[in-house]
Amino acid sequence: KQEVTQIPAALSVPEGENLVLNCSFTDSAIYNLQWFRQDPGKGLTSLLLIQSSQREQTSGRLNASLDKSSGRSTLYIAASQPGDSATYLCAAPDTGRRALTFGSGTRLQVQP
Amino acid sequence: NAGVTQTPKFRVLKTGQSMTLLCAQDMNHEYMYWYRQDPGMGLRLIHYSVGEGTTAKGEVPDGYNVSRLKKQNFLLGLESAAPSQTSVYFCASSLAGTSGELFFGEGSRLTVL
């Protein structure tokens, strides 16, 4: 059974800081991994979909990496802004590939 | 461009009552999902569908039923609501299942008293 873990559960940083969010998964037989953003009271918005063949995927100030062999993915946010404050979740295909299994998320607060 | 729309957005039920949550998507996606989100437990898959007329159980299906009579709609039913079903429910859809991007609705907050 796929299990996805995100550490830390919460993170507070000053504006302008570069930061890394971590995601680990137990079943490494995956072909992709997605990172999502969730604002309070809202649904999830897909940020990056990284294929196992890519190792990295970039969108603006966001960069996601994927290392299947170690069962880890990271989301790098450059020059953080208060508008980046949200919960970030990673998700990997479950064993059997029926649907995505989600981590519990990292709640990010960027202080002005 | 509506994407994934959930109705209702909020609902309060008494224990034992029944209700249906409606999810509609306008992207012609084959795959649709119902998740519930609870504090400290992340999102858990309730039921999913890989196409019109199909449904399958997810991780936490007990107490829920679903139907996918039309490709664009995925209904989640609670036959006899229990306080343990108090949660935020999210519908999602995808063109290519776990191979593609997943699109979410805004969520439906359900409270069972």
Side-chain angles (χ1 to χ4, degrees), chain A residues 10-95:
Chain A
L11 183 64
S12 182
V13 300
E15 181 177 3
E17 190 163 301
N18 301 326
L19 58 102
V20 175
L21 305 181
N22 297 297
C23 171
S24 61
F25 47 91
T26 55
D27 184 351
S28 62
I30 62 171
Y31 38 84
N32 63 37
L33 184 137
Q34 290 190 53
W35 282 92
F36 294 84
R37 168 181 173 142
Q38 185 177 28
D39 292 294
K42 299 292 186 181
L44 284 71
T45 300
S46 179
L47 295 173
L48 289 165
L49 169 62
I50 178 168
Q51 304 292 344
S52 58
S53 58
Q54 293 179 297
R55 295 185 64 86
E56 282 191 8
Q57 181 73 274
T58 298
S59 175
R61 294 182 292 108
L62 305 180
N63 176 278
S65 67
L66 175 61
D67 184 346
K68 284 180 54 176
S69 62
S70 66
R72 294 182 180 182
S73 175
T74 62
L75 179 66
Y76 174 84
I77 302 177
S80 59
Q81 302 171 359
D84 294 331
S85 297
T87 297
Y88 292 82
L89 299 96
C90 67
D94 65 9
T95 305

Side-chain angles (χ1 to χ4, degrees), chain B residues 15-16 31 39 41 45 50 66 69 74 80 84 86 100-101 106-108:
Chain B
T15 297
Y31 298 81
M41 302 191 73
L45 181 68
V50 301
V66 288
L69 299 179
F74 195 28
S80 179
S84 62
T86 293
E101 189 176 351
E106 291 282 283
S108 297

Side-chain angles (χ1 to χ4, degrees), chain B residues 2-7 9 22-26 34 91 104-106:
Chain B
V4 180
T5 304
Q6 293 182 229
T7 54
K9 290 182 171 45
L22 170 63
C23 176
Q25 53 93 4
D26 61 2
W34 277 106
C91 177
F104 278 84
E106 291 282 283

Side-chain angles (χ1 to χ4, degrees), chain B residues 17-36:
Chain B
Q17 287 185 321
S18 63
M19 76 159 296
T20 300
L21 298 177
L22 170 63
C23 176
Q25 53 93 4
D26 61 2
M27 297 173 282
N28 201 34
H29 286 173
E30 291 290 341
Y31 298 81
M32 297 187 74
Y33 309 86
W34 277 106
Y35 287 90
R36 60 177 288 175

Side-chain angles (χ1 to χ4, degrees), chain A residues 95-106:
Chain A
T95 305
R97 301 180 179 185
R98 303 170 305 165
L100 296 183
T101 296
F102 286 81
S104 296
T106 294

